[in-house]
Amino acid sequence: MKIYVTSRQQPTLDLWSRFLPASIGIEFVNEADRKVQADVLVMSGIWAFDRYGGSPNREAAQVLSNTRGDGLPDWIVVPPFRPVVERDGEFVIREDFEHVSPAYYAVLGALRAVRSDFGDSASIALDLSMLGMDDPCDESTPASVARAIEDFLSE
C-alpha cells in the first residue's frame, strides 16, 4: 500500500516526516506544489458527509464513492471515532478506549477499511488539513499515527 501524507504547510510535513517510519515508503507531499493522484482520500466526516453522503459512525470507517467529478479520488474514506457509551445522561468515551489516541484509532480504522475494500495495492492519501491534523506544533498526533501505521503493517 502506498501512503501519501499531504499538507499545504511544509513545517507540518517536516514534523510528520520525523515521526513516521521512512522504511515503509511514505511520501510527504506539499499540495501547494503538486497534487497527489491516489486511489483513496482519507478525510474527516465534517468535510465528507455533506459532499459524499454517509453519517457519523463510531465503530467503523466508511468508504464513500466520489461521483462528483471534483478532482478528488474516486473513493473517500471517513475514519471512525472512538466508541462512546452513555453514562449519567452524557456520552463519554468507552472505558476501554479512554487511553487510545483519537488519531491512532482513526488512521488504523481507515487503513483497515482501505485494505478490506481495495487490497494492499491501493494508494491512499492522508490529507492532514481535511483530517484536522495540520498543526506544525503538535507532536502527539504524528506519533500516534506512526504507531497506527506500524501496527497496521504488522497485521
Side-chain angles (χ1 to χ4, degrees), residues 89-108:
E90 291 186 33
F91 289 99
V92 297
I93 300 299
R94 209 169 74 194
E95 203 170 288
D96 53 333
F97 284 90
E98 286 177 348
H99 299 291
V100 174
S101 157
Y104 174 91
Y105 189 76
V107 170
L108 184 59

Side-chain angles (χ1 to χ4, degrees), residues 1 3 16 20 42 58-63 77-82 97 100-116 124 126 131 133 141 143-155:
M1 184 176 294
I3 300 173
W16 278 68
L20 296 179
V42 180
R58 295 203 168 270
E59 301 290 329
Q62 295 176 64
V63 177
V77 172
V78 178
F81 303 97
R82 293 180 299 166
F97 284 90
V100 174
S101 157
Y104 174 91
Y105 189 76
V107 170
L108 184 59
L111 292 172
R112 286 175 174 164
V114 170
R115 178 183 279 160
S116 173
I124 181 170
L126 301 174
L131 285 168
M133 299 178 180
T141 299
S144 294
V145 170
R147 283 192 310 277
I149 292 172
E150 289 168 349
D151 288 351
F152 171 76
L153 293 173
S154 68
E155 293 180 340

Side-chain angles (χ1 to χ4, degrees), residues 8-87:
R8 291 180 140 315
Q9 297 189 79
Q10 192 59 48
T12 301
L13 291 171
D14 293 342
L15 173 71
W16 278 68
S17 69
R18 291 197 327 258
F19 283 90
L20 296 179
S23 62
I24 61 173
I26 293 174
E27 188 175 336
F28 299 91
V29 178
N30 186 326
E31 286 200 320
D33 299 330
R34 74 176 177 98
K35 291 286 183 197
V36 168
Q37 297 298 318
D39 300 314
V40 179
L41 175 67
V42 180
M43 73 167 61
S44 173
I46 195 167
W47 306 114
F49 294 139
D50 285 344
R51 290 184 66 91
Y52 308 108
S55 59
N57 183 339
R58 295 203 168 270
E59 301 290 329
Q62 295 176 64
V63 177
L64 308 174
S65 177
N66 177 5
T67 59
R68 298 179 62 92
D70 57 9
L72 295 179
D74 291 339
W75 298 100
I76 307 297
V77 172
V78 178
F81 303 97
R82 293 180 299 166
V84 297
V85 294
E86 188 173 353
R87 190 177 304 144

